Amino acid sequence: MTEKFIPLSELKRFRPALSVPEVLKTPDGQLQDALSRPLHDLRISVTDRCNFRCVYCMPKEVFDKDYQYLPHKSLLNFEEIARVAKIFVAHGVRKIRLTGGEPLLRKHLERLIEMLAKLRTIDGKPLDLTLTTNGSLLARKAQSLKDAGLTRVTVSLDALDDAIFKRMNDVDFSVNEVLEGIAAAEMAGLGPVKVNMVVKAGLNDREIIPMTRYFKGKPHILRFIEYMDVGASNGWKLDEVIPSSQVVQRIQDAGMPLIAMDANYTGETAARWRHADGSGELGFISSVTQTFCHDCSRARLSTEGKLYTCLFASHGHDLRALLRDTDQHSDLAIANIIAQIWQQRTDRYSEMRSQNTPGQQQKKIEMSYIGG
């Protein structure tokens, strides 16, 4: 590996002091960063633990039996998460995604979902409340998640071939169990289910066509994700990235012509395509070769309450300290601190990487800590 892995203990060095502005302003839902990007999505990591050891995210040689996860007392509790989420919604957030690690490992997660489902956007509409999972616990949890108020789920599935999939998750977990989870989510009404496939050259790229054929004609949305340089533990190399344009070409060359579609909203991560015969939708997330920093509207809240303004960030802002401070910061005070952070945001890591600037050499936090 050419980059240094950053354990959580080292992140404590990167803690900018947060202070309450002298003049407090009531959020109006129109918050923008320094590049005029709005705040639309909030991704909340509810645990740094996962029961998979995917080679591109939590490789076993780093996240072994001796790896030190966050102690439970360090995690935001559900009341703290709901409080922060309410503040973000006042700033214009319309979509909240629960992530991890594997979020379904967090005990009683349905209670948090019930709390978040009660929130309303600035114009009085329900949130788009979603969750990303590896699918291992989804079959038994899907109905209770829906009953609690979850809107949709996204499931990670990197291959249909069982041997390849087990090689990628590195814990001997079978494809059929994930497919059972997807079916349970569909039956519970958590659809359309989005199925994410991270494509890594030489590992699972031969599964592109089988995955496309399998999900063609089904009510799910298969999405191909370029292998990204999140964190430093996965040994990322550019030559292991297969550009989305090549994935599209492979699918069309296999006799499945595609037609490009318009985005659902500004800042959507996936470029949308559909099968020409009307048998389903595909998505392509191209953070490496077709960067979308220019309209990124996502903020991320880590398991222990740090606010990150980019997936490839090297440091976060400690909101947990504000929530637990004996000075009892009001929601309005915290809202103004968040506004200050977002208004100063200039992150555009993927664009810098594509321009071969020194920005690509910065130390980055791990995806398992910040969520996807």
Side-chain angles (χ1 to χ4, degrees):
M1 298 179 191
T2 58
E3 295 183 85
K4 181 180 180 239
F5 169 64
I6 307 176
L8 296 183
S9 58
E10 290 190 28
L11 290 172
K12 294 179 181 178
R13 293 184 299 167
F14 304 103
R15 276 191 184 166
L18 300 179
S19 58
V20 180
E22 291 185 10
V23 178
L24 299 183
K25 298 180 180 179
T26 302
D28 61 3
Q30 303 299 315
L31 189 62
Q32 292 190 338
D33 70 7
L35 301 178
S36 300
R37 296 171 294 188
L39 179 57
H40 181 279
D41 297 63
L42 176 63
R43 301 190 174 187
I44 302 173
S45 176
V46 296
T47 179
D48 60 334
R49 299 170 185 266
C50 186
N51 53 348
F52 280 16
R53 286 296 174 267
C54 296
V55 295
Y56 56 81
C57 182
M58 295 182 72
K60 193 176 286 183
E61 59 267 25
V62 174
F63 297 88
D64 58 16
K65 61 182 178 60
D66 297 320
Y67 183 79
Q68 305 237 337
Y69 294 98
L70 292 167
H72 186 73
K73 65 180 180 180
S74 295
L75 277 57
L76 291 186
N77 62 42
F78 290 163
E79 289 73 21
E80 291 169 333
I81 292 173
R83 183 185 176 193
V84 172
K86 182 179 179 181
I87 294 170
F88 272 92
V89 169
H91 276 311
V93 162
R94 296 177 175 274
K95 177 180 177 181
I96 290 180
R97 178 176 297 279
L98 301 179
T99 69
E102 170 48 49
L104 296 185
L105 291 179
R106 182 77 183 256
K107 291 183 179 180
H108 312 300
L109 185 66
E110 291 86 350
R111 188 163 68 85
L112 173 61
I113 292 171
E114 287 178 353
M115 298 165 74
L116 297 176
K118 294 176 182 177
L119 299 177
R120 292 296 179 266
T121 64
I122 199 76
D123 51 359
K125 296 180 180 178
L127 292 173
D128 184 9
L129 185 56
T130 71
L131 177 146
T132 297
T133 174
N134 61 28
S136 60
L137 302 173
L138 189 55
R140 73 186 79 164
K141 287 269 195 177
Q143 191 60 57
S144 64
L145 294 171
K146 177 64 176 179
D147 293 344
L150 194 69
T151 309
R152 293 180 294 104
V153 292
T154 297
V155 180
S156 298
L157 179 62
D158 298 317
L160 282 177
D161 181 280
D162 219 40
I164 295 175
F165 183 60
K166 288 180 178 180
R167 196 179 310 141
M168 294 194 74
N169 66 54
D170 208 12
V171 291
D172 203 35
F173 200 86
S174 71
V175 170
N176 282 340
E177 291 176 270
V178 178
L179 294 178
E180 288 172 4
I182 293 172
E186 179 188 357
M187 186 174 298
L190 292 170
V193 177
K194 293 180 179 178
V195 180
N196 283 353
M197 176 183 175
V198 173
V199 180
K200 185 176 180 182
L203 183 57
N204 69 331
D205 55 300
R206 73 184 191 193
E207 288 291 285
I208 292 170
I209 303 307
M211 286 280 286
T212 305
R213 287 193 175 124
Y214 179 85
F215 286 102
K216 188 174 185 288
K218 291 181 170 61
H220 317 309
I221 301 173
L222 175 61
R223 307 197 305 176
F224 297 97
I225 303 176
E226 291 180 346
Y227 176 44
M228 293 184 291
D229 51 331
V230 179
S233 66
N234 64 8
W236 182 87
K237 298 177 182 177
L238 184 59
D239 59 9
E240 294 174 328
V241 177
I242 297 182
S244 292
S245 58
Q246 291 185 22
V247 178
V248 170
Q249 192 61 52
R250 286 195 195 187
I251 294 171
Q252 302 202 106
D253 289 346
M256 293 177 282
L258 303 177
I259 298 174
M261 303 170 64
D262 293 334
N264 284 310
Y265 59 87
T266 300
E268 189 173 22
T269 56
R272 301 171 64 216
W273 293 69
R274 64 178 176 84
H275 288 284
D277 62 4
S279 58
E281 180 179 331
L282 299 171
F284 298 85
I285 299 176
S286 316
S287 176
V288 178
T289 65
Q290 300 172 40
T291 64
F292 40 82
C293 299
H294 60 281
D295 55 13
C296 176
S297 58
R298 290 168 293 284
R300 292 171 168 84
L301 186 67
S302 77
T303 314
E304 59 177 346
K306 287 190 175 67
L307 169 60
Y308 291 87
T309 55
C310 180
L311 176 60
F312 303 95
S314 59
H315 70 269
H317 306 271
D318 191 1
L319 300 186
R320 187 188 65 187
L322 300 176
L323 296 169
R324 298 182 181 179
D325 197 320
T326 54
D327 289 341
Q328 297 291 312
H329 291 290
S330 67
D331 286 3
L332 182 60
I334 296 175
N336 275 261
I337 290 173
I338 290 172
Q340 198 172 56
I341 293 168
W342 190 261
Q343 287 166 343
Q344 295 171 358
R345 175 186 187 239
T346 58
D347 302 283
R348 53 186 193 93
Y349 173 84
S350 291
E351 289 181 354
M352 293 170 67
R353 182 214 301 115
S354 66
Q355 295 166 12
N356 295 314
T357 66
Q360 64 180 310
Q361 302 302 325
Q362 70 183 50
K363 298 172 183 177
K364 306 182 294 294
I365 54 171
E366 297 297 312
M367 184 181 289
S368 58
Y369 170 74
I370 195 176

